[in-house]
Amino acid sequence: MKKKLIAGLVLGLTVMASTCFAHVFDRVEQYKGNELKIPQVAGIEEKAAKQINNYIVKNVASDAKKFIDKHGAEGGTAWLYTTVVRDDEKYLSLRIASASYFKGAVHPNAYVFGLVFDKATGKRLPLSYFVNIPSAAFLEENVRNNVFKFYASGDTLLELEASSHITHISEQYTLDANDNLDLYYQQYELGPYAIGSPYIRLDKLYVDRNGTVLPKG
């Protein structure tokens, strides 16, 4: 009886663990001579996983495919890089770079997708789910005053150049394990190519004070 009870508890814990954490894997697809590693999700409720996977295929993989459709015949190539930023019982957050390269170009370009999904429903959550930013001007003012930190690709701390201005609030963002929100901007939007795809960090303390729905609330 005791052994059965222990086995049952172990099984129960295993089932609970499998429902908490997603399994993100690359589905390799050959597309017009290009190998695309399209991130897909398993290990969570089937309907939620399907909704997340459909979103990624429709909105992320299609970005790379459109480039191949337009420039593949000229030798252009594209590929996807995926980083799992957060995966817990409530949220799955991914950073996906859709990189593209024109034949003969000096360097590739990339569009960064920052995605946060509700794992129970599979819906992508907008930034406003966690916090409201009044305006792009407000965001820029707080970056220049070092209230919000400004980073280059590779997590190098920067200062926003005087000639650069934040004209919109990015829809591409991630939620990390410490409840910080990182707003990603694309190459050349807030500085030269050398800084890559920079991001602005809205730290947990700011989100706690100003959030509409807290990450752990």
Side-chain angles (χ1 to χ4, degrees):
M1 180 68 181
K2 196 171 183 179
K3 287 183 179 179
K4 287 183 179 179
L5 180 60
I6 293 172
L9 286 171
V10 171
L11 178 61
L13 288 172
T14 302
V15 171
M16 284 177 65
S18 68
T19 58
C20 286
F21 298 98
H23 169 52
V24 180
F25 63 96
D26 288 327
R27 176 170 64 79
V28 179
E29 179 179 333
Q30 300 295 329
Y31 186 76
K32 297 184 178 180
N34 286 254
E35 183 178 275
L36 291 180
K37 295 181 178 180
I38 303 172
Q40 297 283 267
V41 175
I44 60 174
E45 200 278 325
E46 186 177 351
K47 288 183 179 179
K50 184 177 181 180
Q51 183 153 328
I52 293 172
N53 292 336
N54 287 344
Y55 183 96
I56 292 172
V57 168
K58 182 179 179 180
N59 296 280
V60 180
S62 63
D63 184 76
K65 289 182 178 181
K66 285 176 183 176
F67 180 86
I68 295 168
D69 289 342
K70 190 172 183 179
H71 302 287
E74 306 158 9
T77 57
W79 56 99
L80 300 171
Y81 291 112
T82 303
T83 301
V84 178
V85 179
R86 177 168 175 159
D87 178 16
D88 60 19
E89 67 278 4
K90 294 181 70 173
Y91 304 113
L92 175 66
S93 183
L94 305 175
R95 180 187 184 276
I96 307 174
S98 178
S100 56
Y101 177 78
F102 292 94
K103 184 178 180 180
V106 177
H107 52 66
N109 291 314
Y111 186 92
V112 173
F113 293 87
L115 308 172
V116 181
F117 296 101
D118 182 323
K119 289 173 67 174
T121 65
K123 292 182 179 179
R124 185 191 176 190
L125 300 174
L127 181 65
S128 59
Y129 180 86
F130 296 106
V131 68
N132 287 321
I133 303 298
S135 66
F138 172 88
L139 192 61
E140 180 174 331
E141 179 183 358
N142 280 276
V143 169
R144 295 199 185 280
N145 291 332
N146 293 315
V147 176
F148 301 149
K149 301 300 183 184
F150 179 54
Y151 293 92
S153 293
D155 305 325
T156 302
L157 189 62
L158 296 176
E159 289 187 6
L160 187 64
E161 295 181 357
S163 59
S164 296
H165 296 283
I166 299 172
T167 59
H168 69 285
I169 299 169
S170 179
E171 296 180 357
Q172 306 301 335
Y173 79 99
T174 57
L175 172 70
D176 72 14
N178 297 315
D179 297 343
N180 302 306
L181 299 171
D182 292 336
L183 279 62
Y184 282 90
Y185 286 81
Q186 306 308 324
Q187 291 171 330
Y188 299 109
E189 280 192 321
L190 299 181
Y193 179 86
I195 70 171
S197 301
Y199 65 92
I200 296 168
R201 170 155 293 180
L202 308 182
D203 64 88
K204 171 180 167 49
L205 292 178
Y206 179 84
V207 176
D208 280 350
R209 291 194 302 269
N210 301 277
T212 54
V213 180
L214 301 183
K216 289 185 177 178

